[in-house]
Amino acid sequence: MRNSLPTFALLGKLADAIPGFADLLVVEHSNLVDHLLMGLMYPNEGIKAAVCYLYGKLYSSPVGTERLSAHFEERLCSLFLNTLGCAQTKELQVNCLGLLKELLKSDHFVSILMNNSKTEEETENPDFLEGENPLPLVLKKLLLTRDEMLQAASSHCMAAVLVHSPSRYAPAFIHADVPEFLFECLLCKSEILIWSVYCCLLLLTEERLFFSKCHTVYGIESLVRSLQDVLQINNVELHKQGLLLFTEILKWQPMEIKLFTNRGVCIEAIGVLMETVNCPVLEVAVEAVRAVAAFLRKDHLSSPPVPYEELQKLLEAALKRCADLSPPQSSKRHAGDRLFSVSQSHPANRNHSRVSQRQCQFLLNTLESFRNACRLAVEFQDDFMAQENAFTAPNSESRDTLSNFSEFLLRICDSLCIPVVMSYLQRAVSLSVAEVFISTLNTLFTVVPNMRNKFSKKLASSSFIRLTLELKARFCSVQSNPVLNQTCSSFLCNLCLNLYSATEKRRTSQEEQEMSELLQKGLPQLNYTIAESLLLLSETPEPFSLDQSLCNQQHCFILLLYFAYTLGDRFVPDAELFLAIRNFLLSAQDRGDCPPPHVLRAALYLLAVCHDKGKALDLRSLCTIRRILDNLTDLSLVYVHCPFLLKFFLHYPELMGRFGHQVLQLWFSWEDCKQTEAEEPDFDTSDQLNSASPLLPILKSNSSILLILLDLVYSSSVKVAWKVLMTLRTFLERNEDILVCDLLRSRFLQILQQLLVESSSATLQANSNLPVLLSLLFLVQLRSKGMRELDSTDFKLLHQVSNLCGKCRPRDTGLLQPSLNFLYWSLHQTTPCSQQRAVAVLLSNVSLLELLQKVLEHTWLRSPPSGPAYLSSEDALLCSGWLLVASLLLYQHRYNTEVHQTLSLDLKEVLNAVIFRDKKPILLLVSIMQFLRAALRQNFSSSLLVIVGQNTAQGATQPQPSSLQDAALHPLATQQVFSLVVSLQNLLVHVQLQKDLVLSQAVVACLETLVEYLHVKNQDVALHVASQPWHRFLLFTLLNGGQKSFLQPEILRLMTLFVRYQSSNIISQKEISQILQEAAEANLAELPEATSYALHLFLCQIQSSHYQVEPVQSGTIQTLLDRLLGQRTTCVKHQDIVCLGNVAVSLSHIGD
């Protein structure tokens, strides 16, 4: 047999060199195979190597494979395996592997080699490996050699076996622990060996036993390190094969077996993925993002701490790579066209198509990665260990948290993901891209729960409702693409529910549940174009049909339009939509169907929004809407807070008469819902004006709405009443229609009459809206500029308001303040004839005068404030009380009106209130001084007023004066007069500091009245008071502290007073000349009204006094008087009644 070596070698070379020679040997010299078997049994590895080489050539031909099949099964198989297993020389090992490679091409030989005759139970039993040197152990032995060529050949043979049937043959290799040695081989430098191992392992991943035996856990670190090394080699196919293996392992690794037990390996894996995502070769990057998608699983990343920052960088890199890809160059197509419709005949076109396909695949894989990242964030929300980095140092903030990662996902979706996908879909449409994209957006709703509503609003305002409807219409009709249809339907359902939660402040869980069920039923069936869907709204179901699918589709489409329109995406022409919604409501009414409140709310909103672009509704449509709304238990169920709906209801008398009150009530009450729940609603005027602005044009065109608003003031809550008040105030300020005021006064009278008849005193005091109503009544009266004759309505209002005051207590400031303001206005802004009747009405009301008595007495009970004086509500009521009593004193004396009830006051208390101010508010001092002036004018002898002395009861004997001088001034005492004068002088200095015109007018007028009183009672005292040297010092103080001009009302009136009483020691010819010169040089038209009036009094006093003036000055005085007279006839009268701190004040009453 030793001599046969040359023969075997020659035959092998001839078979290699001559085609058909191997077939000839098999057919013509069949006895040769017996000699070959003997050669394999001969203990010489050189002969065995030659024999294996020749066998390899024989089995490489189809004829040899067929003829020698039985020979191999019966005689050669065991002998060959034994030879391969015991081979020591490389030549024999190589030739055996060559023969094995040829044999493994045949499924029959593979089955024989893998001992397929054993049962499956035996195959799965590891003990069978201890038998006759099976192939897995033989190949495993070759892997243990240090020869990379033999290792590559061995792994190649394994792959050749597995490729026939991984499920049949993989268990044998796995039980032989071959995967461990394959992973170890990955640490080599041979590209061929690495490629072979990648291929073999890739086939093994198809068998679950490969994972359950934890071979992947053992080898993942070797694989990651191998990929790191491979990436340094310029071998694209090797990169792709390694990433493919990595992807399959990541994808099929069981969740219960953690793949990355070492966080460092996980970080290295992310680094590998980052590097491959940025690979300039797009094919490699495509495989990389597939691996990223498989990598982003909770079980792969659940070992704390989760590397959120690295994951952010990885996702950002993938999305930026998508953005950097050049878009397809084909022209923009409709979404229904084929994505790649260019001709495939030209090589350039075929190359362009391949590039486009790779770009599409890269985008798809990236979207899947991003979707998996979103799902990962949602899954980690229930894992406390994954929420935050547990290894963060104390007192330091970690950015590596789930919260930051979730916000990153939302942020990068907005900045990168959505723009990239939308840009791609504008050029070409891929169903898979669209499905994954919509699914990703749907998942993002739950990634950051507190941002869900804001994210939903942004999607809806960015036309995503329209986009999703178009996708469904183009690709999901006729029950096609069910996965895309379900994805789009689920997205629209969640989007609508989120928008409902975000926009409907008064939502209910029951309505939300009903809406959810409706959307889940109807959206999968709503696969029509926009035009078809509009026609769908006009369709009517078959009579007696139990199928609700048409109604569900109609309701779903209306809800989608509603949420899109509320956020500005008006993708349907308004006129067409208006007509479609009208037809829908008519159809629903015709079949006796009432849509659910949330659907009806959406329909009414759409009808109102499109109303200006559509034709006016006919009577049939209005009756239909009215009948539908009449079936509702509460109009708020269908109310939407927007100006369009308000305008819609108030536009048609048929709707306004029935629902106007409710709609306006809801309009004002829902203003609070615009604030966050944490905020307390306030009554800021600017906010109320903003809320009123949509209503003002409607009010101007239909003033009858004012009556509804007036009813709201009376019947609504206090907050709503105040808002209505602000609206009416704004409207009254901007519109001068007196007919509106007449209309309002008549309605006011009806309300007050009803109140006083139906309510007791306690009920009136508890009515929180009545003060608002009275405030509005005063505002209406305040609009009348100048004097006005009071009509019957005015007198009836005066009577009712005075009766109302009589039923109040002094502490009911809310009711009394506007009421006293109204009474005060009625006395001062009317003609003398009406004034006389108004005084009679008020003085005949005993309960009113008793109330005023109590109010005035509260002045002495008032404790001085600890801080700066300010006008509280109690002080404001005191001011109004003093001013009203002062007016009644004045006009009762003027018209000699009959008195039914007197007022009694302690004069000393009144004087002390002015002399010792005790931080009283300025307006309260002004009011008390007005009363004091009225009493002084009547010499304290009014039939309405009873003056009592200190510590004396009403009606008791008054204390006698202590001297003749006091007797002349009675009931004043000389010391009181001097103290009062000093106090008034001090107040004038205070005026100079505070620049308070009302106080200055009141002080000067009080000083004038006091001197007049003294002049009547005792001229010596009057002249003494008028000639005090302190007055001259006071004048110079006023001149030096202010404008340094004589043309100031308080200075001119003081000068007039001193001229009248010939106080030459205070005012000289020089001062008079200066005043005349300054007046002659001034522009009289620009002087304030009070200054012009004071100057006129001064000039008249100079003319009528005995002062010696030069003829030139006399001419100047006359000229100035003529100019002032002309000025008074042409000047515009200003509003006489003003509100100072909620107190009505007549400027003419104060300054007269």
Side-chain angles (χ1 to χ4, degrees), residues 179 233 378 415 440 465 705 770 794 883 913 1020:
I233 305 171
V378 174
S415 61
T440 302
I465 292 178
I705 303 172
L770 191 52
D794 292 314
L883 289 172
D1020 293 337

Side-chain angles (χ1 to χ4, degrees), residues 558-577:
I558 289 175
L559 287 175
L560 292 174
L561 288 170
Y562 167 70
F563 288 119
Y565 268 58
T566 55
L567 291 159
D569 184 18
R570 303 173 74 155
F571 57 88
V572 178
D574 286 355
E576 296 179 18
L577 180 57

Side-chain angles (χ1 to χ4, degrees), residues 589 594 626-634:
Q589 181 63 26
C594 183
R626 179 168 177 170
R627 280 195 294 268
I628 291 176
L629 294 180
D630 281 336
N631 292 328
L632 296 174
T633 57
D634 187 358

